[in-house]
Amino acid sequence: MIVLQLAPGRMRLSQLQNCLPGVSTGVLERYVQQMVELGLVTKTRFKEMPPRVELELTGAGQELLPVAGALTRWGMRHVWSPPRERECTNVDCLLRLLPVLLEEKASSLPNGSVEAVATRPGPRVSYLYQTKDGRVLVADAIDGTVTARVEGTHSAWIAALGPPGDFAKLRVTGDEQFALSMLEALHRD
């Protein structure tokens, strides 16, 4: 899971902790240290107050992404159950991982861009994705206009990304067919 969370790029240790609910700080730090020792992750400490530590996958760590992505896709299709009471599903982490989860399906997607927005209950989360030349990337900005925008509550995103793949509670503006083809690709074998 650490490899997947670091897939989009450099991340603070505190952000990684937030993406892995239920994992204690001590356990996370031990795993991160093991990954550093194995050459999978780099750990950069900044001398500032408060102290800041950033983590990033090395080349060897990035080689694990296809394997970790395949295991995650399998789990999403076959094991994922609706969240139980007091169980947290982190929509921010799921949306951040979308490019990794779509990696094996990206070649079938047309070029375009999608803005994904998750609203209440919980913090507003927004990601911009660009599909281009058989890849899905998180984008800072898009040249031109966004092809589609998909918006929903956190629970609507959980229903869409989880096993039944229920997109009914998401609102799509722009090219609906393009946006849904991207989301449906998660559920195709």
Side-chain angles (χ1 to χ4, degrees), residues 145-156:
T145 60
V146 174
T147 308
R149 184 173 198 265
V150 183
E151 186 174 346
T153 63
H154 284 237
S155 59

Side-chain angles (χ1 to χ4, degrees), residues 33-101:
Q33 187 57 40
Q34 288 175 345
M35 294 176 78
V36 168
E37 290 169 5
L38 291 169
L40 301 173
V41 171
T42 60
K43 188 175 183 179
T44 307
R45 295 178 192 274
F46 294 88
K47 294 180 183 181
E48 53 188 44
M49 289 307 281
R52 178 171 50 119
V53 175
E54 290 187 347
L55 307 169
E56 188 170 24
L57 290 175
T58 63
Q62 290 176 352
E63 288 179 28
L64 290 173
L65 285 173
V67 175
L71 287 171
T72 302
R73 285 187 294 275
W74 182 88
M76 287 178 76
R77 289 186 195 119
H78 302 289
V79 182
W80 187 353
S81 61
R84 295 181 187 107
E85 189 176 334
R86 294 189 308 221
E87 185 177 54
C88 173
T89 301
N90 192 320
V91 173
D92 183 22
C93 290
L94 287 172
L95 290 175
R96 206 165 58 81
L97 293 176
L98 205 58
V100 175
L101 298 174

